Amino acid sequence: MSQDSPAPHPTSTSTSAPPAPPTSGVHPGAPESPTPSVAPTQPGPGDPPPPSITETQAEELIRGICFKTGPPRLLGAELEWLVLDAEDPGRPVPPERLALAHEAARALSLNSLLTAEPGGQLELSSAPAASLTGCLDGLQADLAAVRGVLRAQGLVLHGRGQDTRLPYRRLLTSPRYEAMERFLDRTGPAGRTMMRSSASVQVCVDAGQEEPGPAGHGRRWRLAHLLGAVLVASFANSPGREGPYAGWRCARQGLWDDIDRRRSLAPPLEAEPRSAWTRQALDTEVMCVRSRGDGPWAVPRGMTFRDWLRSGGPRPPTAEDLDYHLTTLFPPVRPRGHLELRMIDAQPGDDGWLVPVAVVHALFDDPEASETAYRVTKALADSYGTEPAPRNPLWRSAARHGLADPELRTAATACFRAAVEALPRLGAGAHVRDTVGAFAERFVRRGRCPADEHTGREPLGGRDVRP
């Protein structure tokens, strides 16, 4: 899991939606945890409170900031890593040692934003890049610097969707972490497990043009949700060993499914994207109400943001409160001006992370590959059904079975072939092309995913893998 960092991410500048005034210092691109590393500024006890907003104003704000439309041109990525002891990777690293490592890494001069996660994970969030090469080169340079600092302290970065070292501990403390964990604990252990133990690769692409068509935001929104199941299956790297996710290829996705009744769900796929997301945001429970000053944050029970707007309690909500609320929503595709694809597990190896970044970029931003991906994933709509992701048969099969699901394997094979063919057109260098090609050969064409190498199992056979 990752924090909602203020890292920069792609956002086109034009939009026909109502313009939204700035609501906080948190950048719209956000990683995966329910724990923003930089919260919107709260006035101190002696400062006048900011103005409150009405329900109509809240709806206009969300509609204005969720899809910033224009020609797709930018790419961003957020990489989360587990931090392991180089000599004894199965032993939890003491909190004091992790804190020193985090401090040393923060002292580096990096192009990316570096943040620490509640369980000690490290995250690098790229600057927005106008090309795949620019995005990858910036992250690779920063990773090399961070790895060098950690190596000097006997630590290494490790790419895996969920930590296997027990017990899980929360290293970071503040009123917001306390409040968020209290909220998430109401629905079981999945929330704190996610906060303390998970890691992902998140890829951010522009929302697309206002007008309908191949680059339109409505089509890219739909593609993201159907292709998302293919990405879960292809890059599954958090095998479940025991408990409710035993046997799953992507147990991390199971955790997201279980954290909240509504918070991690996508809006209805057939609905108009702006209106659907606005309803989803306002009708999801408020996770916490920030206090003025350093006091504890309130954790209301059963109060949606719409309820808060209508009732005015425990205090009138502000635009900053709305902005903060939006950072605590965790659908698999989050619209924050751009589209934030949040469903991909952290990947193994030093360069495994670049494969999903390159593949997503190709399938969204190369016209020929995007057309192939749209056509291929359109055939998955019946399996997607009427239930929202990740709680529909298609997404659950992706998380449980990976590419052992024949329909997902067929789609992944076609999508990876299109991506590999697109990379030269996108200016990708030989190393990137070779790395993506090697992943496709090692996993996709064999109906396997990285999780299969952890478990030692052969892929499940047959067509009856769906529940």
Side-chain angles (χ1 to χ4, degrees):
M1 128 161 180
S2 117
Q3 304 182 81
D4 266 315
S5 75
H9 290 289
T11 302
S12 296
T13 55
S14 65
T15 177
S16 65
T23 57
S24 84
V26 178
H27 188 277
E32 152 166 31
S33 107
T35 49
S37 58
V38 176
T41 302
Q42 271 291 94
D47 298 329
S52 61
I53 57 172
T54 66
E55 186 173 341
T56 298
Q57 288 172 325
E59 290 175 344
E60 290 175 349
L61 283 168
I62 296 172
R63 290 178 63 86
I65 63 177
C66 61
F67 293 92
K68 298 289 188 181
T69 53
R73 61 187 182 87
L74 297 176
L75 173 70
E78 298 163 357
L79 313 179
E80 301 163 11
W81 300 88
L82 306 177
V83 181
L84 307 185
D85 186 294
E87 297 298 324
D88 190 0
R91 182 184 66 182
V93 180
E96 299 80 6
R97 190 176 174 198
L98 279 173
L100 290 173
H102 294 167
E103 183 178 354
R106 289 193 189 99
L108 294 167
S109 179
L110 302 174
N111 295 310
S112 308
L113 179 74
L114 185 140
T115 52
E117 305 300 321
Q121 310 97 308
L122 281 179
E123 176 190 345
L124 282 170
S125 299
S126 78
S131 69
L132 175 63
T133 298
C135 179
L136 299 183
D137 285 354
L139 282 167
Q140 284 177 319
D142 289 343
L143 276 171
V146 172
R147 286 183 172 125
V149 165
L150 296 183
R151 192 180 305 116
Q153 301 195 26
L155 300 171
V156 294
L157 296 178
H158 181 64
R160 185 173 173 133
Q162 187 175 0
D163 203 343
T164 59
R165 299 168 297 170
L166 297 173
Y168 299 139
R169 295 172 295 182
R170 177 162 58 87
L171 276 65
L172 305 183
T173 60
S174 71
R176 67 176 177 268
Y177 292 110
E178 299 293 338
M180 289 179 177
E181 193 159 273
R182 282 165 53 204
F183 177 90
L184 293 169
D185 282 348
R186 291 173 180 170
T187 53
R192 65 168 52 204
T193 301
M194 176 63 68
M195 288 175 67
R196 301 176 181 199
S197 70
S198 68
S200 70
V201 173
Q202 297 179 39
V203 187
C204 299
V205 296
D206 276 324
Q209 295 177 327
E210 187 65 31
E211 300 78 14
H217 75 280
R219 175 160 158 165
R220 285 165 72 89
W221 175 251
R222 184 176 182 85
L223 172 62
H225 287 86
L226 294 173
L227 179 63
V230 178
L231 299 174
V232 170
S234 300
F235 295 110
N237 189 36
S238 53
R241 294 185 172 182
E242 58 187 10
Y245 318 115
W248 288 40
R249 267 50 170 207
C250 185
R252 189 182 66 89
Q253 195 63 55
L255 290 170
W256 278 118
D257 194 342
D258 286 345
I259 67 165
D260 190 300
R261 179 176 61 87
R262 188 180 181 91
R263 188 168 305 278
S264 61
L265 296 184
L269 188 61
E270 302 302 327
E272 192 279 318
R274 280 197 183 94
S275 298
W277 178 244
T278 299
R279 288 192 299 270
Q280 180 87 354
L282 293 183
D283 292 333
T284 299
E285 285 187 41
V286 172
M287 182 176 278
C288 51
V289 177
R290 298 167 300 138
S291 66
R292 300 185 69 186
D294 297 328
W297 292 13
V299 184
R301 187 180 292 272
M303 182 181 75
T304 68
F305 204 91
R306 196 184 302 276
D307 294 335
W308 191 6
L309 289 161
R310 291 178 177 180
S311 69
R315 59 166 173 77
T318 67
E320 288 81 3
D321 291 319
L322 176 61
D323 187 72
Y324 189 85
H325 175 66
L326 295 177
T327 72
T328 70
L329 307 181
F330 315 120
V333 181
R334 185 161 57 179
R336 308 200 64 189
H338 56 276
L339 303 182
E340 182 182 81
L341 278 68
R342 306 164 47 80
M343 71 290 295
I344 301 168
D345 278 347
Q347 294 298 289
D350 288 349
D351 292 332
W353 60 272
L354 68 78
V355 178
V357 178
V359 168
V360 168
H361 177 53
L363 297 179
F364 273 84
D365 295 330
D366 177 83
E368 186 175 334
S370 181
E371 184 62 34
T372 297
Y374 186 76
R375 173 178 50 79
V376 167
T377 58
K378 188 177 180 179
L380 301 175
D382 287 344
S383 297
Y384 189 101
T386 58
E387 292 296 315
R391 294 179 188 164
N392 60 48
L394 181 69
W395 276 70
R396 282 184 166 161
S397 185
R400 288 173 175 167
H401 307 298
L403 294 185
D405 181 307
E407 190 175 25
L408 287 165
R409 179 180 180 177
T410 298
T413 300
C415 287
F416 269 78
R417 183 184 304 117
V420 168
E421 292 173 354
L423 289 177
R425 297 192 293 268
L426 294 169
H431 176 67
V432 175
R433 299 196 306 270
D434 291 346
T435 303
V436 174
F439 184 97
E441 181 61 37
R442 181 175 180 176
F443 295 114
V444 178
R445 292 178 188 136
R446 301 180 184 184
R448 295 176 64 84
C449 59
D452 288 312
E453 298 200 340
H454 292 299
T455 62
R457 297 174 304 188
E458 288 302 311
L460 302 176
R463 293 195 58 84
D464 297 326
V465 296
R466 291 226 176 112

